[in-house]
Amino acid sequence: MKIAINQPYFIPYIGYWQLIDSVDTFAIADNYNYIKQGWINRNRILEGNTVRYFNIKVDHASQNRLICDHRIKPIDKDLNLRQLKNFYHSAPYCNEGIELMDRILSFGGDNLADFLYESICLVCDYLQIETRIVRTSDFEQDPELKFTDRIYDYCRQMGADTYHNLIGGTKLYTFEEFEAHGLKLAFIDTVFVPYPQSSESFEPGLSILDVIMHNSAEEIQQILKSYRLITAEQD
């Protein structure tokens, strides 16, 4: 079984969805510490030629507390949707993107991890990704385990034989270390496929929302497959 584990991000870039699509089970690491100025509560979209942040507000955000222990402030759905319509009104699939964000921003609770879990599942449905989505907080926890040892333990509990990670993980993980724990390691190296945007030049790595606004379902399926899988055999 192939699995991946990653902190939950708010409407993240295409590589995140390629990672989910590449595995059988994707575990949202919701019992990891919150990261300020990261991607947990915000992402980048376009306003004409300008890249700007689109976010949800977190109440008393602290890097000393877990993601699942945070709350979000009330979401002004109408205001956020008006902003998105203004930014993307000329995009060919604006209606589809707005409808998706309407469902995401209609979340009825205030738990940050619950909100992100639901938003990830909604986007997966839209992208036709059938990967099983779970949460690391639902598994048995060994407080003595840190860093990579936690990953090995979650892999064991899920019956994994292969672990996928985004390309940035090459700075943290080695094929040899994972092999010593009976696991194959592979990295998703995203190939950013240019598509027409509102900006004069292509801006790669924006939120998946920008991809959805500008591409048909068929085009998005092609973009989802546009990556290199780096394995030990290629190293």
Side-chain angles (χ1 to χ4, degrees):
M1 175 187 287
K2 297 189 292 286
I3 76 161
I5 302 171
N6 207 100
Q7 286 95 337
Y9 296 154
F10 179 52
I11 51 173
Y13 84 118
I14 187 66
Y16 193 94
W17 308 101
Q18 291 172 332
L19 177 66
I20 297 176
D21 193 42
S22 74
V23 296
D24 302 303
T25 299
F26 179 77
I28 293 172
D30 62 337
N31 57 346
Y32 282 60
N33 279 31
Y34 182 87
I35 302 171
K36 286 188 175 181
Q37 303 302 313
W39 303 111
I40 293 174
N41 73 312
R42 65 177 186 167
N43 224 287
R44 302 185 310 145
I45 59 174
L46 274 178
E47 180 184 5
N49 285 315
T50 303
V51 176
R52 59 168 294 164
Y53 287 105
F54 182 70
N55 60 43
I56 54 167
K57 293 181 171 57
V58 178
D59 193 25
H60 297 97
S62 170
Q63 297 190 156
N64 297 318
R65 287 189 291 126
L66 305 180
I67 296 169
C68 58
D69 291 334
H70 279 78
R71 305 288 169 181
I72 59 174
K73 295 182 179 180
I75 297 172
D76 191 334
K77 184 181 73 171
D78 292 338
L79 174 62
N80 282 294
L81 293 179
R82 283 198 302 271
Q83 287 180 329
L84 291 174
K85 287 179 182 178
N86 184 47
F87 298 162
Y88 285 104
H89 66 276
S90 61
Y93 300 95
C94 178
N95 288 341
E96 288 83 349
I98 293 298
E99 288 174 6
L100 175 60
M101 289 306 300
D102 190 346
R103 293 197 294 274
I104 289 173
L105 298 176
S106 295
F107 177 72
D110 66 354
N111 182 271
L112 174 62
D114 290 347
F115 169 78
L116 293 171
Y117 173 82
E118 184 170 305
S119 69
I120 289 169
C121 289
L122 286 170
V123 175
C124 280
D125 286 344
Y126 184 89
L127 299 179
Q128 301 176 45
I129 295 174
E130 298 180 352
T131 300
R132 175 176 174 244
I133 309 295
V134 299
R135 298 163 63 152
T136 53
S137 61
D138 290 334
F139 291 90
E140 292 182 7
Q141 309 296 320
D142 184 343
E144 299 299 318
L145 298 179
K146 307 294 182 184
F147 307 113
T148 314
D149 287 332
R150 291 181 75 182
I151 294 176
Y152 300 146
D153 187 54
Y154 290 137
C155 286
R156 177 189 60 79
Q157 292 189 57
M158 284 184 266
D161 56 26
T162 303
Y163 183 79
H164 284 190
N165 202 85
L166 293 171
I167 193 64
T170 56
K171 300 176 182 177
L172 303 173
Y173 311 130
T174 68
F175 297 113
E176 294 77 13
E177 287 174 340
F178 273 74
E179 186 176 354
H181 287 80
L183 294 164
K184 295 179 182 178
L185 176 63
F187 297 100
I188 299 291
D189 186 12
T190 299
V191 177
F192 292 103
V193 179
Y195 55 85
Q197 295 173 321
S198 60
S199 58
E200 294 176 358
S201 59
F202 178 65
E203 293 283 352
L206 299 179
S207 165
I208 189 64
L209 181 61
D210 192 80
V211 177
I212 290 170
M213 292 287 194
H214 290 104
N215 295 275
S216 68
E218 293 76 15
E219 290 167 332
I220 292 174
Q221 289 305 306
Q222 292 300 312
I223 294 173
L224 271 175
K225 303 303 180 185
S226 298
Y227 64 85
R228 292 182 290 267
L229 187 66
I230 310 300
T231 65
E233 290 77 16
Q234 300 166 312
D235 187 41

